[in-house]
Amino acid sequence: LGAAAGGLAHRGGAVPGWAAEDAVGKVAVVGRPNVGKSSLLNALLGEERMVVNPVAGTTRDSVACEYEWRGEKLLLIDTAGIRRQAAGGEEREELDRAAVAAARVAISQCHVALLLLDAYQGLTRADLAIAGLVTEQQKSCVIVANKADRLPPAGPPPPPRH
């Protein structure tokens, strides 16, 4: 699996009887910390395979999981949240640099990136920077808005213009 998944940590077993080399596509789930990347993967996989915690920085390594969708074998890659360097001491900054480096590798090796946004917080400069990382690598990108349940209810539609 190391060569096929680019040395990613692996939590396989979702699709019995096949290896990562059988995957027709690699999908990297990327975004800022705490936008719900691991929760999305758990929902797709139908089980709690990724650790989910409200504390930012829980996911540190990119983790690959096998997934079958419409008969096609995919490798889903959960990545650490990509953040700009922040205050927090040298050790924290080193962990952040390593996590961002692993996410960049996942982006470079994927076929498609799912860019997860927090709909409640809206589009941020950090989201745009992550989108830039994806486009620099010339990868396909699907933008996914998460946490829409936290948005206030929409009002009635405006009247038609005549």
Side-chain angles (χ1 to χ4, degrees):
L1 175 73
L8 300 170
H10 182 252
R11 292 190 185 160
V15 183
W18 69 278
E21 297 86 28
D22 297 332
V24 297
K26 295 178 191 169
V27 179
V29 182
V30 299
R32 292 181 290 116
N34 281 19
V35 294
K37 297 176 297 295
S38 296
S39 295
L40 173 65
L41 282 174
N42 284 341
L44 287 172
L45 295 168
E47 59 183 292
E48 299 295 315
R49 300 262 296 284
M50 305 299 168
V51 176
V52 176
N53 192 307
V55 176
T58 301
T59 303
R60 282 284 168 202
D61 297 314
S62 294
V63 179
C65 286
E66 296 130 356
Y67 180 69
E68 189 166 334
W69 182 69
R70 295 185 178 182
E72 298 292 338
K73 298 168 182 172
L74 302 173
L75 198 63
L76 303 179
I77 306 165
D78 188 16
T79 64
I82 299 174
R83 66 172 103 201
R84 60 186 163 93
Q85 289 185 354
E90 191 173 314
E91 184 177 318
R92 176 68 184 202
E93 288 181 16
E94 184 59 35
L95 286 171
D96 287 344
R97 275 193 292 276
V100 169
R104 284 176 179 261
V105 168
I107 292 169
S108 73
Q109 295 180 350
C110 75
H111 296 104
V112 176
L114 296 183
L115 174 55
L116 208 59
L117 310 176
D118 184 325
Y120 185 73
Q121 293 179 350
L123 185 66
T124 68
R125 287 185 180 167
D127 296 323
L128 294 173
I130 296 166
L133 295 175
V134 174
T135 58
E136 282 172 14
Q137 295 291 324
Q138 299 181 7
K139 302 298 179 174
S140 297
C141 185
V142 176
I143 299 174
V144 180
N146 194 22
K147 302 187 182 183
D149 56 318
R150 296 184 60 206
L151 293 172
R161 293 178 149 198
H162 297 283

